[in-house]
Every structure is written in C-alpha cells, then in structure tokens.
C-alpha cells in the first residue's frame, strides 16, 4: 500500500496514519516527524528548520524532499508507506511523482480527510494543551491554516484531476473515520 494522506492541520491525519500503519503493516512516514526529529537532534538541518516550523511556515522544498528520499530508501518502505504531511504544495506533488517513478513505486491513492475550519481550530487548541507544540500557538495555527488553504489545497485538486483522489468525512469517532478511509481505499482499487 502506497498511500498519500491529505488533510489540514487538526484533521486527524497523524492519528489515522498510525492506525493505517498498523492495518497495512507499512511505515508511517511523516515529514513533520522527520523534521521534529532533526530539530530535537540539533542537526544543522534541524537548526535551520526550527524557526520556520515554529512560525507555521513551510520548510524549503529541497530540504524536505531530500529527507523524504532518504527515508524512502530504508528497506521497511519497500512494501509501501503511509505518507503524512507531504506533498504540501504543487512543486512537492510533482517532485513526489518523479521520485516514486524513479523508485518504481507509484502511489496507489491519495485520501483527503475533510474537516470544517471551525472544528480544526477547536481540535488544535485541545492538542496545544496536551502536547505544547510551539507551532500550535494561536498565531502559528492561523498561519498554518492559511498556508494549507493557499498552498496545499491545490494539491488536492491536482490529485482529483488525475483521478487519484478519494475524500472522506473526518468528523466522527476515530474508528468511524478509519472505516471510511479503508472503504475509500478499497473503492479505489
Ligand atoms: P506537520 O507535523 O505535518 O503539521 O508539520 C509541522 C511543520 O513541519 C509544518 O508546519 C512545516 O513547518 C514543516 N513541514 C512538514 N512537512 C512539510 C513539507 N512537506 N514541506 C514543508 N514543510 C513541512
């Protein structure tokens, strides 16, 4: 299974990606997690990315693509992956197509988890209390939602036009949303 999971911050993408990982027995690859690990490890790349991430902006395409490429070369990704947080703009969507073509591992389907904006803000505020992520501050959240609408929403249209997109309603219990995603993937086959 080679799945691209799309959804705004707070849509439940990360939570569902973990469950899909367990279901399909393929790694959950989150570019946000890869970047946070680089920040925590204090690598030069992490130091460069930190301020950009804290402000809720996108880290440069080159940095994220090279991290992703390196991760996809790990043997555990040979049988597929659940990709979360990538692509975030149209340039990344083309870069991903080119990378997967090179690896001879074309993606099966992109699934978008749809949640209305008011609920997104509410959910992120709840998560901020629990996790204390720097980019869950009100200003950074506003900016991340703006970046999503401006740069990532076109990626949804890109996959839709290519006939590779399935959309699911992201409002409901975690089990309900998972069941919808699995049904959408089955219907895409
Ligand atoms: P996430 O955990 O997916 O919400 O990502 C957290 C932050 O990491 C984002 O707000 C960006 O600053 C950065 N990031 C994650 N994935 C990407 C990406 N594909 N392109 C650029 N920046 C990214």
């Amino acid at each position: 299974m080679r799945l691209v999971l799309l959804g705004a911050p707070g849509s439940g993408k990360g939570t569902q990606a973990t469950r899909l990982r367990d279901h399909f027995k393929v790694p959950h690859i989150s570019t946000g997690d890869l970047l946070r690990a680089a920040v925590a490890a204090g690598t030069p790349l992490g130091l460069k990315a930190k301020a950009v991430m804290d402000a809720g902006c996108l880290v440069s395409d080159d940095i994220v693509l090279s991290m992703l490429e390196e991760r996809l070369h790990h043997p555990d990704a040979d049988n597929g992956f659940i990709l979360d947080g990538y692509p975030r703009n149209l340039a990344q969507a083309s870069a991903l197509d080119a990378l997967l073509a090179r690896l001879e591992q074309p993606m099966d389907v992109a699934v978008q988890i749809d949640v209305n904006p008011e609920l997104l803000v509410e959910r992120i505020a709840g998560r901020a209390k629990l996790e204390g992520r720097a980019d869950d501050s009100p200003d950074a959240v506003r900016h991340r939602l703006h970046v999503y609408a401006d740069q990532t929403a076109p990626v949804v249209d890109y996959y839709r036009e290519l006939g590779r997109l399935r959309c699911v309603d992201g409002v409901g219990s975690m089990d309900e949303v998972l069941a919808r995603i699995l049904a959408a993937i089955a219907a895409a086959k």
Side-chain angles (χ1 to χ4, degrees):
M1 169 53 54
R2 292 184 292 270
L3 173 72
V4 171
L5 208 49
L6 299 166
S11 62
K13 222 169 4 102
T15 307
Q16 293 298 338
T18 307
R19 309 187 77 195
L20 290 162
R21 171 198 69 194
D22 296 343
H23 182 89
F24 288 109
K25 313 269 185 286
V26 293
H28 164 205
I29 301 182
S30 150
T31 46
D33 284 351
L34 292 175
L35 286 162
R36 280 184 287 276
V39 171
T43 65
L45 186 154
L47 294 175
K48 222 164 131 185
K50 184 175 185 331
V52 179
M53 292 172 72
D54 286 354
C57 299
L58 292 185
V59 175
S60 85
D61 290 348
D62 292 355
I63 291 184
V64 185
L65 180 64
S66 64
M67 287 183 82
L68 176 65
E69 179 159 12
E70 198 269 328
R71 180 63 186 87
L72 285 174
H73 277 106
H74 290 207
D76 67 342
D78 284 353
N79 292 326
F81 48 78
I82 310 296
L83 190 54
D84 157 19
Y86 194 99
R88 285 287 232 276
N89 58 32
L90 285 174
Q92 293 187 5
S94 313
L96 180 64
D97 280 343
L99 172 60
L100 295 181
R102 248 192 346 268
L103 297 174
E104 297 183 351
Q105 294 204 355
M107 61 179 266
D108 293 309
V109 63
V111 173
Q112 190 216 5
I113 304 180
D114 199 24
V115 173
N116 72 58
E118 290 97 80
L119 191 56
L120 292 175
V121 174
E122 212 175 279
R123 285 189 182 178
I124 298 174
R127 181 171 79 186
K129 278 199 201 124
L130 290 175
E131 295 178 11
R133 264 171 62 166
D135 63 353
D136 278 346
S137 71
D139 278 352
V141 166
R142 252 192 303 281
H143 193 60
R144 284 163 64 211
L145 291 172
H146 171 77
V147 168
Y148 184 83
D150 194 45
Q151 303 201 43
T152 312
V155 173
V156 175
D157 297 333
Y158 170 82
Y159 287 130
R160 183 180 292 116
E161 277 159 28
L162 291 173
R164 291 198 236 152
L165 182 76
R166 293 289 179 278
C167 290
V168 301
D169 179 3
V171 182
S173 71
M174 285 196 283
D175 286 345
E176 281 165 352
V177 177
L178 178 66
R180 286 176 204 147
I181 296 173
L182 292 175
I185 292 170
K189 279 194 178 154

